[in-house]
């Protein structure tokens, strides 16, 4: 499918999705959000893809937020719908059922930080900048940022970012646990690809069920989460991959997973 605001390339069971409005620092307009949703729904249903790498075009921007031009006419009702629409796009990413790695290659502001937060793993280039500057526009983060940022880095740090609107650099993002790793910009995509390739080399049943179980921490109490974990652990134990993984260990060889 052809997109106007996205590039999608499938290679070695990895989908590389690039938001492609570099002249606007990849700000998310309505079309980009609709295309992101369609692209991720396609990837979700594509049995040839196991992992996604999401990045922005150019060397300066991952996503510099939602397109501010499209905010100006919002009123109370349309503002609520606008927020719910963006949340639905980002929920599609978080609930994809396949790991999504954000390769954050520059400004990730507002909806850009929120988009990275909806991904499962975040790798940043040294020039990346994160922030929730919505307060400068008289609004709050509306694509899940107030919820996901606080859950990832804690309420105090999330509130400092959201109430001050300040940007933080990649090293500070690493220090507070907002990103997993920081690498030089030229190494960003190959680092994300290497991680994707490593994940693909594992049994995909275990990968998907681990993702489901960890994702559920947002929703469940510890007891309910452990109950889900036990159920999914049991499901792994009936797979051929489980037999292969344990047998290969005991036979001192590498497992050959069939994802069954
Ligand atoms: N919405 C719409 N357009 C945006 C945008 C956004 N969120 N962020 C950047 N752009 C556009 C700029 O308007 C400019 O377009 P133009 O060349 O047609 O004027 C282009 O992208 C380049 O941005 P510019 O501001 O010239 O780059 P810079 O290096 O001086 O500054 C930023 C970079 C990211 C600091 C600055 O663009 C910025 O503050 N963007 C808004 C961030 C924001 O508030 N996001 C949250 C939105 S809720």
């Amino acid at each position: 499918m052809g997109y106007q605001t996205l590039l999608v390339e499938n290679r070695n069971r990895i989908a590389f999705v690039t938001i492609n409005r570099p002249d606007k620092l990849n700000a998310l307009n309505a079309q980009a959000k609709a295309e992101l949703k369609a692209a991720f729904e396609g990837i979700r249903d594509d049995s040839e893809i196991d992992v996604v790498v999401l990045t922005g075009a150019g060397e300066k921007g991952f996503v510099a937020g939602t397109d501010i031009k499209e905010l100006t006419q919002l009123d109370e009702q349309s503002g609520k719908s606008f927020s719910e629409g963006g949340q639905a796009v980002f929920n599609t990413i978080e609930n994809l059922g396949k790991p999504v790695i954000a390769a954050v290659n520059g400004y990730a502001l507002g909806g850009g930080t929120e988009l990275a937060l909806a991904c499962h793993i975040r790798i940043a280039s040294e020039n990346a900048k994160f922030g929730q500057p919505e307060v400068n526009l008289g609004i709050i983060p509306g694509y899940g940022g107030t919820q996901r940022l606080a859950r990832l880095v804690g309420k105090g740090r999330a509130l400092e970012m959201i109430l001050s609107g300040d940007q933080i650099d990649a090293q500070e993002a690493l220090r507070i646990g907002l990103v997993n790793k920081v690498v030089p910009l030229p190494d960003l995509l190959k680092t994300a690809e290497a991680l994707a390739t490593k994940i693909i080399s594992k049994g995909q049943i275990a990968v998907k069920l681990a993702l489901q179980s960890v994702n559920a921490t947002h929703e469940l109490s510890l007891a309910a989460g452990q109950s889900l974990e036990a159920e999914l652990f049991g499901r792994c134990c009936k797979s051929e991959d489980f037999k292969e993984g344990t047998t290969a260990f005991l036979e001192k060889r590498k497992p050959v997973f069939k994802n069954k």
Side-chain angles (χ1 to χ4, degrees):
M1 182 171 173
Y3 297 110
Q4 286 176 25
T5 65
L6 294 185
L7 302 170
V8 181
E9 187 198 348
N10 297 342
R11 202 169 66 234
N12 301 328
R13 307 194 67 78
I14 305 169
F16 293 85
V17 179
T18 305
I19 299 161
N20 190 28
R21 299 183 74 211
D23 55 324
K24 300 290 176 197
L25 300 178
N26 306 315
L28 294 179
N29 60 6
Q31 185 172 17
K33 284 182 283 181
E35 291 187 354
L36 263 181
K37 190 156 195 299
F40 273 88
E41 285 170 350
I43 290 166
R44 180 191 61 202
D45 300 337
D46 186 344
S47 60
E48 301 291 308
I49 298 298
D50 289 326
V51 179
V52 187
V53 173
L54 176 63
T55 194
E59 300 198 334
K60 199 173 156 189
F62 172 66
V63 166
T66 209
D67 193 316
I68 295 171
K69 265 196 196 146
E70 295 184 355
L71 292 175
T72 55
Q73 301 304 315
L74 295 178
D75 60 17
E76 184 170 3
Q77 198 49 47
S78 58
K80 181 166 181 273
S81 306
F82 184 89
S83 170
E84 288 167 346
Q87 289 173 357
V89 179
F90 289 15
N91 287 344
T92 302
I93 295 173
E94 185 167 53
N95 300 321
L96 195 72
K98 302 175 183 186
V100 183
I101 302 169
V104 181
N105 57 310
Y107 286 113
L109 300 178
T113 285
E114 292 172 297
L115 181 60
L117 288 168
C119 298
H120 304 112
I121 295 170
R122 286 154 289 281
I123 303 175
S125 56
E126 287 165 342
N127 63 318
K129 295 258 195 309
F130 296 82
Q132 299 283 176
E134 288 86 349
V135 75
N136 297 328
L137 304 171
I139 49 177
I140 66 171
Y143 294 167
T146 62
Q147 304 306 301
R148 290 194 179 98
L149 186 60
R151 282 165 166 83
L152 188 65
V153 303
K155 233 166 110 176
R157 290 197 163 108
L159 279 170
E160 186 178 349
M161 286 177 71
I162 291 168
L163 300 185
S164 70
D166 284 349
Q167 294 177 19
I168 60 170
D169 64 17
Q171 286 303 334
E172 177 66 359
L174 180 66
R175 197 182 70 77
I176 67 173
L178 176 47
V179 300
N180 298 61
K181 199 179 284 206
V182 178
V183 298
L185 181 60
D187 297 342
L188 181 64
L189 282 181
K190 61 183 178 211
T191 305
E193 182 171 1
L195 179 57
T197 302
K198 181 179 276 188
I199 294 170
I200 289 167
S201 75
K202 315 295 176 188
Q204 290 306 299
I205 292 174
V207 165
K208 289 188 171 67
L209 295 182
L211 185 63
Q212 182 183 340
S213 198
V214 175
N215 245 0
T217 52
H218 277 9
E219 315 288 342
L220 301 178
S221 67
L222 181 60
Q226 290 195 116
S227 164
L228 174 68
E229 181 184 82
E231 185 195 323
L232 299 180
F233 185 91
R235 219 185 288 167
C236 290
C237 293
K238 73 173 186 190
S239 70
E240 286 181 29
D241 282 355
F242 162 66
K243 294 205 172 46
E244 169 63 9
T246 47
T247 305
F249 177 81
L250 295 173
E251 292 177 353
K252 299 189 186 302
R253 61 174 175 82
K254 278 198 163 170
V256 181
F257 293 117
K258 293 188 178 140
N259 305 327
K260 287 185 188 161

